[in-house]
Each structure stands twice: as C-alpha cells, then as structure tokens.
Amino acid sequence: MSGRLRVNRRVMAQMAPDADPALLDATDQLAAPLRAALAKVDLAALDTHDPAVAFRPAAARHALPSVHPLPPAPVPATPSSRDDVPWLPAADVAALVRTRRLDPAEVVAAYADRIERLQPILNAFLTVTLSSPGRLPACGRLAGVPVGLKDMIDTAGVPTTCGSRLFTGRVPSRDARVWQRLRRAGAILGGKLNTQEFAAGVTSDNDTFGPVRNPWDTSRIAGGSSGGSAAAVATALVAVGVGTDTGGSVRVPAACCGVVGIKPTFGLLPMTGVYPLSWSLDHVGVLARTVRDAALTLATAGVPRCELAARSGAVRGPGTLRIGVPRAWLAGIEPAVARCFETALTTLEGAGARLVEVELPDPDLLVAINRVIAYAEGSAQHERFLCGEAPYGAAVRPRLEAGRYVLAGDYLTAQRLRAAAVETFTAVSAGVDVLATPSLPCTAPALGDTEVDLGGGREPVGTALVRFTAPFNLTGMPAVSLPCGYGDVGLPAGLQLVAPAGQDALLCFAAAAYEAIAPGTQRPPVSASAAAVRRGVYA
C-alpha cells in the first residue's frame, strides 16, 4: 500500500469555496511534488514507527579528539586603522575590548560607516540600531561585538516585523532568550536583518522590503531565508549574524555568500521569542566569517564546548576523522560545485582523514517530508491571519495556504517517515564521525529565477537549494556550511559537514580542522573601496 497526499484542486475548492482561483492554482502547484513523493511510500514498512521523533545521540560511538592541552589563544594585534576593525574576527574584537586596547565606540563607528555605505546596495538590514546603541559593554565573551539578528528574533523596543507588512509596527516588549544570552555577554545589537517573509523561502526576495543582494554579484540571490544575516556578515556589516533554519535557512545563504553557517542540534538553542515557521523543524543558527567565531557565539548562546573544540580542530587538524560521503546524493549538481566538493574531500584525505562511502535515504523524499511538515505547521501557526484578509506577500500566501489542505493522516505519515529517517541516520553515524555533502547543488541563482539547470534538467529553485540541507532539519543533527572554493563565475561554493545529534562540539572540531587546511577565502567584491562602489563597479 502506498501513501498519497490527499490534497487536490477539487478538495481545496470544496474546503474554501470563496478562495481566489489563482491562489488555489498556486497552492495546488506547491502540493503536487509532495503528492508524488508520498505516493511512492510503502506504509506497511512504517508499522514499527510512531510519529514521535526521538534523537538518540548515544546510539553512535563518537569521541571528540583530545582538546587538551591547547596553546593559549594568540594575542590579537591592535588594528592599524579604523577600516581594519570590521574585518577582525569577533573573538579578537572581544579580546581587544576586554583588555581596553580597543574602544567599543570605535568598533561601532567603524561598522556604522560600512553599513551607511553598503546597505543601499545590499539591502541587508530592515532596522539599523548600531548608530545609537546606548551604553557600550566592555566585558564578557562577546564584549563590543556587533551582532545582527534576523528579523524573526524579538528585540525589546526594536521593531520585529518577520519581514512582513502584516507585522509592520510590531515592537516586542522583551528580548528573545537567545539574544538575552548574547547581550549579557557584551554583544552589541547591530540591527535587524532582512529575511524572506516569515522565513518561508530560500531566496530572501522579500515582496515588501525588497530582495537581499548577494555581495559577490548583486544580480544574484543571497540565499535565504536568513539572507540579510549572510550578506551582512560577508561584507563586515556585523561580526556575527543570528538566523533561523527550518530547511537550510542558515546554511543556504552561508553557502551563497561564502561564510560559515551552523545550525546546532535541534532544541539546544531556545526558540523562546523567535517567531516560528515550523515548530518541530525550526533551529536557531549562527553565521560568521570563521568557524571559531561561530563556535564562540554558539557556546555563549548555550551550546557547550564548541569554542574549545573549534580551537582544538584548528590546531590538531582532521587526521583522526572518519568522514561519510553519500555518493548517490551527488548526481545532478553543477560541475563547478562538484569540483569544489571533490577538492575539499581530497584536502581532508590528504591531511589524514578517512573517507567512507555511506548509503542514505533518497534526499528528494526527505525534502518532501520536510515540506509536508513545514507547510502544515506553518499554516497552523498563521491560521488566525489566513482566515482574514491579511496583507501577506504574493510569494508566501500560497505556501501558507497549502498547509491548510494537508490532512492529519498525511502529516502523521510524514512524521513517521521522519522517525524512520532518524533511525537510519543514527545507524549510519555509528560508522563515521561526520557526514560530508555539498551545501548546495549549485552556486547562487540570479534574482527572479524560479528554476535552475542541474544535470540537464530544470528544477525549482526552492527545491534545489534545500536538497542537501533540509534532511538534517528532519533528523535534528547539527550541520555547518563552510566555504570550499569558487565556481566558474567566481561565486562561492559550500561544503556541508554533519555530526550526530548532540555532537555539536565534534562538528565544530571537524569544521575548524577543515578551515585550517583549506585555501584562504576572499572578500566579496562589494566590500571593496567606497570609490569603487560609487563608480558602480559592483552594483
């Protein structure tokens, strides 16, 4: 017996007789691939799986390579000019501020200058707060570090619109818990960052506030939905960005913009005060220019041992790691991305890591399962608004409407399939330390493109960009995207590493180990001099 998602045009019309026919057509198109995927499922094989997902990190043997003794962290040099300050690692900024060798007011001024110059080009911010931060902290693990927050994350007294006209004027009365932790550690709020409306998409092309532009080529998407976070980090408008990740919304823009983007194990960072898209898939994640900065931020926010593990990985390298590679997943990706991925694997193997071929479930099915769950939960979250004439953008409304027509049985089937996937990934993880895939099957598509050409076939952008990322929101496993080279037209490519649930420190170790032996990254061209920007060289 096979499953079949019982959503069709006739049923939707009966359930919503007054609905706009064009909206029903758009909703039906979104549901079609989900119907096709579930039609192939053998429901009898799910008899031993209930819809309750339990992450079982103890089921796989993993030992974090020794992190002791480590040499002391190097003493950062004082920057020679204000223009150098925004490019300092966040860890160095905090160290210099704590030792009074860098005034936090200088940090704010340096970053504010860059925001003023580049925000009109990139559209990374929805609200800038750095120019009037109030009393500046000089102590804490993130002392004086400008942090940008995706506009899904509540900030007391600062608008949090979720990128939607529906929430214009929404000003929370308290901070999200994750921002409370960072602020108490000395972080400075740089501003609220642009996002796809309600985080529902992978392009950050916002119907109300305009698209985030990729700093490597402003005719390209920055990725999404945390595109503002990635673009701002890549161009040193903030030192660290905090985003959310439901199907890849931290890792996708990290790969598009050439930065580090990490989502921890599901549930390790609190979602309190973060507007949800999908309760059982949402993760808070971090974007930074280095693994250590991302790990420092994770550790400060509540994921233990990450910074120490990252420092250890950078010193000791990847020689003890077993890296699982799902070769069957690699069909139909851009040749340039494939070359970058294979070069990264060769680099790791040359440094002593052992590559192990592994078999994983079909990624297309995993993406479809992710979509069924995300659509259903997203529409439930928005039900009170969908019943009226809420001013949603044209792109997000059909997605939210689609979830209204997912029946309870289909949602539970998707959750049972998810439980089976967790079991499979846990078993595979017993034989390796981390998994490795490309972050994306392609480099950043052009703004406005709805499809990409992969392996001779056309594929919707929204499906293609989450092929390798969405499966790990289902399994709750920690995952990171790292820069691993550049494609044929100079756009960044990403390497994704994934560790078992609960092994976030191991992931940071592996990521830092690769970063330490990988070729150096470049600054995006839109970060060039003010004179070049004024001439329109990179606009």
Side-chain angles (χ1 to χ4, degrees):
M1 178 183 178
S2 65
R4 181 173 66 84
L5 188 66
R6 294 180 293 278
V7 177
N8 58 54
R9 182 71 165 73
R10 179 179 57 81
V11 170
M12 289 190 292
Q14 290 174 347
M15 295 173 70
D18 298 327
D20 180 352
L23 180 58
L24 290 181
D25 286 341
T27 300
D28 186 44
Q29 289 176 7
L30 284 172
L34 310 184
R35 290 198 298 270
L38 286 191
K40 302 174 184 177
V41 173
D42 181 5
L43 294 182
L46 295 178
D47 285 348
T48 59
H49 295 92
D50 61 38
V53 177
F55 304 122
R56 293 183 285 274
R61 181 199 67 78
H62 293 279
L64 179 66
S66 173
V67 297
H68 296 291
L70 277 178
V75 177
T78 303
S80 58
S81 73
R82 195 168 81 174
D83 288 344
D84 295 331
V85 170
W87 293 105
L88 290 173
D92 288 0
V93 170
L96 290 168
V97 168
R98 286 194 301 268
T99 55
R100 304 297 193 269
R101 289 185 292 148
L102 183 61
D103 189 328
E106 294 180 53
V107 178
V108 167
Y111 275 91
D113 284 351
R114 292 189 62 79
I115 293 172
E116 182 179 8
R117 188 167 78 244
L118 296 180
Q119 166 63 7
I121 299 170
L122 298 173
N123 195 32
F125 286 84
L126 296 181
T127 304
V128 177
T129 58
L130 202 57
S131 58
S132 54
R135 187 172 64 87
L136 296 173
C139 59
R141 296 179 80 175
L142 293 175
V145 173
V147 173
L149 302 180
K150 184 177 183 177
D151 206 34
M152 302 289 290
I153 301 171
D154 283 354
T155 40
V158 179
T160 304
T161 69
C162 300
S164 179
R165 189 155 55 98
L166 177 64
F167 278 5
T168 299
R170 177 177 178 266
V171 180
S173 59
R174 62 176 57 184
D175 291 329
R177 189 169 297 168
V178 67
W179 173 234
Q180 289 176 0
R181 293 175 179 179
L182 300 182
R183 180 173 50 78
R184 289 168 183 167
I188 298 171
L189 181 62
K192 305 303 291 294
L193 297 164
N194 201 351
T195 171
Q196 196 126 3
E197 186 172 5
F198 287 111
V202 294
T203 66
S204 293
D205 191 351
N206 188 297
D207 288 337
T208 300
F209 300 107
V212 181
R213 296 186 177 274
N214 191 312
W216 292 90
D217 177 349
T218 55
S219 70
R220 305 271 181 158
I221 67 168
S225 58
S226 305
S229 303
V233 167
T235 52
L237 305 187
V238 292
V240 172
V242 181
T244 61
D245 191 311
T246 305
S249 288
V250 163
R251 291 159 289 153
V252 169
C256 285
C257 294
V259 298
V260 176
I262 185 168
K263 79 162 193 68
T265 297
F266 178 78
L268 282 190
L269 290 186
M271 290 293 296
T272 306
V274 180
Y275 199 85
L277 174 62
S278 174
W279 301 295
S280 70
L281 297 172
D282 288 346
H283 300 62
V284 172
V286 172
L287 300 100
R289 289 188 297 279
T290 69
V291 173
R292 185 187 175 192
D293 283 352
L296 169 63
T297 307
L298 284 179
T300 305
V303 185
R305 301 181 67 204
C306 285
E307 186 196 8
L308 184 62
R311 288 183 54 211
S312 179
V315 171
R316 304 193 184 285
T320 60
L321 294 175
R322 301 162 299 163
I323 301 173
V325 183
R327 290 286 176 188
W329 279 27
L330 304 181
I333 64 176
E334 277 186 4
V337 170
R339 287 195 299 271
C340 290
F341 178 65
E342 295 298 339
T343 299
L345 294 182
T346 300
T347 300
L348 286 162
E349 191 173 32
R354 183 157 63 92
L355 303 184
V356 181
E357 188 166 345
V358 296
E359 292 186 12
L360 297 176
D362 178 6
D364 293 335
L365 175 60
L366 298 175
V367 170
I369 296 166
N370 178 286
R371 288 288 174 84
V372 172
I373 296 169
Y375 284 12
E377 293 182 358
S379 66
Q381 170 66 26
H382 286 261
E383 182 65 24
R384 60 190 170 124
F385 304 118
L386 292 171
C387 291
E389 297 296 324
Y392 288 106
V396 73
R397 178 113 201 185
R399 172 178 171 146
L400 296 175
E401 291 283 359
R404 303 178 78 186
Y405 307 107
V406 175
L407 301 185
D410 298 316
Y411 173 79
L412 293 173
T413 295
Q415 290 284 18
R416 292 171 73 196
L417 288 166
R418 179 188 192 178
V422 169
E423 186 174 284
T424 300
F425 276 88
T426 300
V428 170
S429 294
V432 297
D433 294 304
V434 294
L435 301 171
T437 74
S439 301
L440 306 176
C442 58
T443 53
L447 282 164
D449 280 359
T450 58
E451 293 182 324
V452 290
D453 189 357
L454 296 173
R458 303 292 293 175
E459 188 173 343
V461 167
T463 303
L465 294 192
V466 299
R467 181 195 301 175
F468 299 128
T469 56
F472 302 108
N473 292 84
L474 286 179
T475 64
M477 299 162 74
V480 61
S481 177
L482 300 152
C484 71
Y486 301 90
D488 292 336
V489 294
L491 295 173
L495 166 69
Q496 180 176 234
L497 299 178
V498 185
Q503 298 290 337
D504 299 76
L506 174 62
L507 179 67
C508 290
F509 179 97
Y514 170 73
E515 182 182 61
I517 60 174
T521 57
Q522 305 168 21
R523 294 180 185 179
V526 83
S527 296
S529 69
V533 172
R534 284 195 297 270
R535 291 198 306 270
V537 175
Y538 304 112

